[in-house]
Amino acid sequence: MNNRSLISITDYSKEELLELIKLADYFEHNPEPELLKNKIIATLFFEPSTRTRLSFETAIQRLGGRIIGFTDASTSSVQKGESLRDTITNVSLYADLIVMRSPLEGAARFANEVSHVPIINAGDGANQHPTQCMLDLFSIMKTQGTLENLNIALVGDLKYGRTTHSLVQAMSNFNATFFLVSPNELRLPSSLIQSIKDAHLNYYEMTSLEEAIPLVDVLYMTRIQRERFADPLEYEKVKNSYVLKNYMLDNSKDNLKVMHPLPRVNEISIDVDDNLKAYYFQQALNGVFMREAILAHVLDLK
Amino acid sequence: MEQRKQLIVSAIENGTVIDHIPVDSLFTAVKILDIENLTEQVTIGFNFGSKKFGKKGIIKVANKFFEDKELDKIALVAPSATIITIKDFQIIEKRTVGVPKTIGNIAKCINPKCITNIQEVACKFTVIDNEDEPLKLKCHYCEKYTTLDHIEFK
Ligand SMILES: [Zn+2]
């Protein structure tokens, strides 16, 4: 078991969040191609996630580390029925650090209890995806110059979206005001509303995207999936209400940035891409620098 | 006085009496405490009269002294329970059960995608005891909450 592991965004204090953002900024401007020289990093993807894997592997390569692993459980011993306990025990004898993605919720927390080396959680089902949250924070800091006292709109599927859940948890450290924009069926779970209340922060639950836009500094869009609705008619009713179109940004603040964890389907219209307020592709690139920072931090090299 | 009457019903010389268990929770409490696997002499009383509840359950285990944290597990289903320790037919200690901060592998996580429900991983929970809402358990692994009305004991 390793205490430097990153399993859940709540493992990090406010100070650590800020320290990692600084480190990500450092790596963006100061490439360190020797830092992970002679380190072997395992990337174990028990379910495929090309986007996250490429981002991690780019980060590892930029720091000069070497990679072992698999991209899909069907090509590994897992398919033969090997338990997570055994896979992790084994790989942790080979590698200096394990980056893992699993459809099983709680898998990374458990892996950290059996591993001899630190674990970075690259997503465990609908539970946590802390490096996504860290890159979101880095993106907010870069575009707003601060994390303090911001107005943040979270839009879309707030019930099941782990990205928005983590962002609520992390931004609660920074006196944020939340505009929670979703259809009634997909409102933020009560446990997270409670955590906003516990932090004595303001929040507004709303169903109208257009009402929220002029009020906020960050517009964080997420996808609404059809299968989340018990009644397909409900989905048909709301699906177009949470699509961002370029003209809708006309009355937004100058400093507003539109973010999205990607991949996008149709919730941000393509005509937004050329707007200077669109930030989602840059946001994805920020993920590489942030993952460099997390790798260095977890290995205690920076 | 009530206490004395019960002791006459089936007095134990040494051991533990768990009294004031709601009737509905008696058999769950028996399960949680793993009474079935004890070798000591056990008396289980069902539908006993109680001033507090009308009816109550009671468990008496001879020659067995539980650790507090072992008994506190039943606070989840029987917060009203009283624990009485008896030595030489005398009541040595009487206490109410406390709500434990954590509990181990006695309940199932409600989340079907949780690793504890899919692989051989023992469950652990933090007990969330907020004043204005009923007790709930937060899974150490998947971080989901299981409320008491959905709890399934292993
Ligand atoms: Zn669980």
Side-chain angles (χ1 to χ4, degrees):
Chain A
M1 174 149 165
N2 195 295
N3 287 332
R4 292 190 79 88
S5 296
L6 175 56
I7 308 302
S8 172
I9 193 66
T10 50
D11 294 348
Y12 280 158
S13 65
K14 177 175 179 173
E15 289 67 36
E16 281 175 297
L17 296 175
L18 290 168
E19 191 187 317
L20 277 154
I21 289 169
K22 240 185 234 165
L23 195 52
D25 181 67
Y26 170 84
F27 281 120
E28 180 172 3
H29 301 104
N30 306 275
E32 290 226 15
E34 301 275 287
L35 192 69
L36 296 188
K37 203 178 158 194
N38 303 322
K39 297 277 185 212
I40 295 178
I41 315 293
T43 55
L44 309 185
F45 279 66
F46 296 90
E47 67 176 0
S49 171
T50 309
R51 186 174 301 275
T52 303
R53 186 173 56 82
L54 290 181
S55 178
F56 263 110
E57 294 189 353
T58 306
I60 296 165
Q61 306 264 16
R62 280 176 54 94
L63 295 175
R66 282 186 263 180
I67 297 166
I68 59 169
F70 47 84
T71 60
D72 183 345
S74 67
T75 62
S76 73
S77 56
V78 180
Q79 215 211 354
K80 296 176 192 149
E82 187 177 53
S83 68
L84 183 66
R85 179 193 294 276
D86 286 2
T87 308
I88 296 294
T89 304
N90 233 316
V91 174
S92 75
L93 296 171
Y94 301 152
D96 297 290
L97 183 155
I98 296 173
V99 175
M100 64 177 282
R101 167 97 160 197
S102 169
L104 304 185
E105 297 174 16
R109 179 79 59 201
F110 175 67
N112 194 40
E113 291 172 357
V114 295
S115 173
H116 307 289
V117 298
I119 303 279
I120 296 176
N121 184 5
D124 59 328
N127 184 33
Q128 287 277 340
H129 189 13
T131 62
Q132 173 69 47
C133 186
M134 293 300 300
L135 79 87
D136 292 339
L137 296 182
F138 180 39
S139 299
I140 294 171
M141 177 69 104
K142 270 175 80 172
T143 57
Q144 306 297 328
T146 178
L147 295 179
E148 299 284 348
N149 310 315
L150 295 171
N151 288 353
I152 299 178
L154 302 169
V155 183
D157 179 355
L158 305 187
K159 185 173 181 184
Y160 299 102
R162 65 180 172 193
T163 324
T164 51
H165 296 175
S166 301
L167 210 47
V168 166
Q169 291 174 322
M171 287 305 290
S172 290
N173 287 304
F174 301 100
N175 196 35
T177 299
F178 298 102
F179 295 80
L180 308 170
V181 185
S182 72
N184 270 324
E185 255 182 285
L186 299 178
R187 282 161 60 183
L188 196 71
S190 58
S191 56
L192 282 155
I193 295 281
Q194 188 59 48
S195 75
I196 296 175
K197 284 184 187 163
D198 291 346
H200 305 290
L201 301 177
N202 290 320
Y203 69 97
Y204 305 93
E205 294 190 273
M206 26 207 335
T207 51
S208 162
L209 173 57
E210 288 191 72
E211 264 176 47
I213 288 174
L215 304 172
V216 299
D217 306 301
V218 174
L219 182 60
Y220 199 98
M221 302 291 299
T222 64
R223 181 151 57 110
I224 292 180
Q225 289 167 281
R226 183 191 302 265
E227 55 269 28
R228 298 300 190 197
F229 287 81
D231 179 359
L233 280 178
E234 273 306 306
Y235 172 76
E236 294 303 321
K237 255 195 268 173
V238 304
K239 68 173 184 189
N240 293 321
S241 317
Y242 300 94
V243 174
L244 180 67
K245 304 206 170 68
N246 196 32
Y247 74 86
M248 292 162 74
L249 295 172
D250 287 352
N251 294 321
S252 61
K253 290 187 176 184
D254 292 341
N255 62 317
L256 174 98
K257 287 289 183 277
V258 180
M259 301 191 186
H260 190 294
L262 300 183
R264 120 183 98 169
V265 181
N266 60 350
E267 56 278 9
I268 300 177
S269 153
I270 299 172
D271 66 2
V272 180
D273 292 3
D274 294 330
N275 193 314
L276 292 173
K277 292 175 179 174
Y279 194 71
Y280 25 93
F281 294 115
Q282 181 63 40
Q283 184 187 353
L285 173 60
N286 290 339
V288 172
F289 308 127
M290 180 45 88
R291 290 183 172 112
E292 287 183 57
I294 292 166
L295 289 160
H297 178 77
V298 168
L299 286 169
D300 206 6
L301 297 172
K302 281 279 172 185
Chain B
M1 286 321 269
E2 195 196 10
Q3 200 53 53
R4 197 150 150 204
K5 240 161 51 190
Q6 284 161 10
L7 293 176
I8 294 164
V9 174
S10 62
I12 50 177
E13 188 176 345
N14 292 295
T16 307
V17 177
I18 305 158
D19 198 2
H20 297 120
I21 305 170
V23 173
D24 295 348
S25 305
L26 176 64
F27 291 102
T28 314
V30 167
K31 199 171 162 188
I32 292 175
L33 294 174
D34 203 21
I35 297 288
E36 205 186 323
N37 292 315
L38 292 178
T39 50
E40 289 83 2
Q41 187 184 322
V42 177
T43 314
I44 297 173
F46 188 54
N47 285 338
F48 278 34
S50 158
K51 277 183 202 141
K52 257 199 234 164
F53 300 109
K55 296 240 168 104
K56 69 174 182 183
I58 186 166
I59 303 170
K60 300 184 187 190
V61 186
N63 302 316
K64 166 100 183 152
F65 302 98
F66 295 86
E67 277 182 54
D68 284 0
K69 66 171 189 200
E70 234 178 305
L71 289 173
D72 281 344
K73 292 180 202 168
I74 68 163
L76 299 176
V77 295
S80 56
T82 315
I83 310 294
I84 302 155
T85 307
I86 294 172
K87 283 183 183 157
D88 294 328
F89 296 105
Q90 299 294 314
I91 294 176
I92 299 297
E93 191 204 26
K94 197 168 172 179
R95 70 173 185 99
T96 49
V97 287
V99 174
K101 287 197 169 59
T102 58
I103 62 163
N105 199 27
I106 57 166
K108 270 173 67 99
C109 176
I110 196 175
N111 177 7
K113 290 182 184 153
C114 178
I115 186 159
T116 62
N117 287 320
I118 297 173
Q119 297 205 356
E120 236 174 89
V121 174
C123 213
K124 283 188 261 189
F125 300 93
T126 309
V127 180
I128 308 289
D129 187 9
N130 288 336
E131 249 171 50
D132 47 350
E133 50 178 20
L135 279 185
K136 54 188 179 183
L137 305 180
K138 184 179 185 188
C139 177
H140 168 73
Y141 293 103
C142 76
E143 307 182 23
K144 294 280 179 301
Y145 295 95
T146 303
T147 52
L148 286 190
D149 46 335
H150 287 112
I151 209 163
E152 200 186 312
F153 290 96
K154 283 189 174 170

